[in-house]
Amino acid sequence: MTQPDAFHVPEGPHDIRLVVCDMDGTLLDAAKRIPDAIWPLVDRMHERGVLFAPASGRQYATLARQFERLGEDLVVIAENGAYVRRGDVEVSASPLPGDAMPEIVGVLRAHALAGYDVGAVVCGKRSAYVERSDEAFLAKAQPYYAALEVVDDLTRVDDDILKVAIYDFGEAAHDTAPALEGFDGDALRVVVSDRHWIDIMALGVDKGVAVRALQSALGVTPAQTVVFGDYLNDLEMMDASELSFAMANAHPQVAERARYMAPANTDAGVITTLRRLLEHPVR
């Protein structure tokens, strides 16, 4: 799909019922903070019956804390689509196959022994778990995992495992992704989610599948859905909406897949675009 070269919002009126927004590189500013200007917009949307759903590689506990002011209206796509909740209701969950996590951890341990500076986060429904307890690694994991436990042996964790996330202090796509190629196949998929993070999830799990699960649960169509994203883990999400926006700072593949462009996250692109979309609602 060929995308426009500049910021463009299609003319209204728009019958919007669901807004799904990636976090890093999309909603968050340069300091990785949620812009204050989003909250009045979210309130305005909720008054019109429009739900706002953050969609992230972050765990549910982290997103619930960041968006706690939404209360009962909280809708979350967590773990890059592996876990979706609306309030206290689980919309969908896609755990890893039972024997996958120990094998992944074993490969990553060998990769680290070979000299690569990597750490694994095993992401369960109840908590996330790590073996590395050094400050450098924890400083990278803690912003994404509000519920985080240090354990002696990741392979002995007792939880429903939704994802294994890997942090590479070097270049994830170059240094660690090749070591994980064997997992990208019949039962699992490996996704480079930014320069340093890689996610391993069950095959068929992505943010696009999660958006469709939400649409089905809410009775919302792609024409009534807005999505925003910037990186490769947002690709499939672009296909789930007729109002899909790639940020100006987006990966080229995301910009190609999206229908429209939004200003960069550092220019409050989500806020600017939503304001335009909300100018002419369907009455």
Side-chain angles (χ1 to χ4, degrees):
M1 181 180 297
T2 301
Q3 105 289 340
D5 295 326
F7 174 43
H8 173 65
V9 174
E11 293 184 6
H14 302 291
D15 180 22
I16 298 169
R17 292 291 175 263
L18 175 65
V19 175
V20 181
C21 188
D22 173 55
M23 296 286 283
D24 294 273
T26 301
L27 176 62
L28 303 188
D29 62 21
K32 291 189 175 293
R33 296 173 300 201
I34 298 175
D36 289 338
I38 193 64
W39 302 117
L41 274 175
V42 170
D43 290 341
R44 184 174 162 193
M45 286 189 289
H46 283 179
E47 288 172 1
R48 297 181 180 181
V50 182
L51 290 175
F52 180 85
S56 174
R58 287 167 164 81
Q59 69 179 173
Y60 173 78
T62 303
L63 293 168
R65 183 177 66 181
Q66 291 177 299
F67 290 89
E68 62 182 349
R69 68 177 67 190
L70 300 187
E72 294 180 357
D73 289 325
L74 179 65
V75 181
V76 165
I77 295 174
E79 308 289 11
N80 273 331
Y83 195 45
V84 183
R85 282 182 61 168
R86 182 185 184 188
D88 295 330
V89 178
E90 180 179 293
V91 175
S92 66
S94 304
L96 294 178
D99 58 348
M101 184 269 286
E103 188 176 353
I104 295 167
V105 170
V107 168
L108 290 170
R109 286 171 176 168
H111 192 58
L113 287 173
Y116 293 93
D117 193 2
V118 298
V121 184
V122 170
C123 308
K125 280 188 181 181
R126 295 193 304 272
S127 180
Y129 309 88
V130 295
E131 288 177 345
R132 280 189 64 164
S133 59
D134 56 288
E135 290 185 10
F137 176 67
L138 291 178
K140 302 301 183 182
Q142 286 170 336
Y144 300 93
Y145 300 98
L148 184 66
E149 296 181 22
V150 179
V151 298
D152 293 331
D153 184 354
L154 285 174
T155 66
R156 298 177 66 85
V157 165
D158 183 17
D159 199 345
D160 291 324
I161 305 305
L162 300 166
K163 183 184 75 178
V164 177
I166 302 100
Y167 187 86
D168 186 331
F169 281 87
E171 296 287 337
H174 179 269
D175 296 339
T176 298
L180 301 171
E181 286 178 350
F183 294 110
D184 201 8
D186 293 337
L188 302 170
R189 66 189 301 259
V190 179
V191 180
V192 179
S193 55
D194 76 3
R195 178 181 173 186
H196 298 289
W197 285 101
I198 298 174
D199 290 328
I200 303 180
M201 300 172 289
L203 190 68
V205 175
D206 57 55
K207 289 184 181 179
V209 170
V211 171
R212 290 186 176 93
L214 255 185
Q215 289 169 333
S216 177
L218 299 171
V220 170
T221 68
Q224 296 172 314
T225 305
V226 182
V227 302
F228 295 94
D230 76 302
Y231 211 72
L232 296 175
N233 58 332
D234 300 320
L235 271 176
E236 294 84 0
M237 195 164 68
M238 298 295 120
D239 301 332
S241 165
E242 294 182 16
L243 289 168
S244 57
F245 289 85
M247 313 308 291
N249 51 288
H251 189 285
Q253 290 184 40
V254 179
E256 179 68 20
R257 195 87 153 247
R259 291 174 180 265
Y260 305 102
M261 293 292 291
N265 67 308
T266 51
D267 293 325
V270 169
I271 292 161
T272 300
T273 305
L274 283 176
R275 284 174 175 161
R276 293 270 190 95
L277 289 169
L278 294 170
E279 282 178 357
H280 302 291
V282 171
R283 298 296 181 185

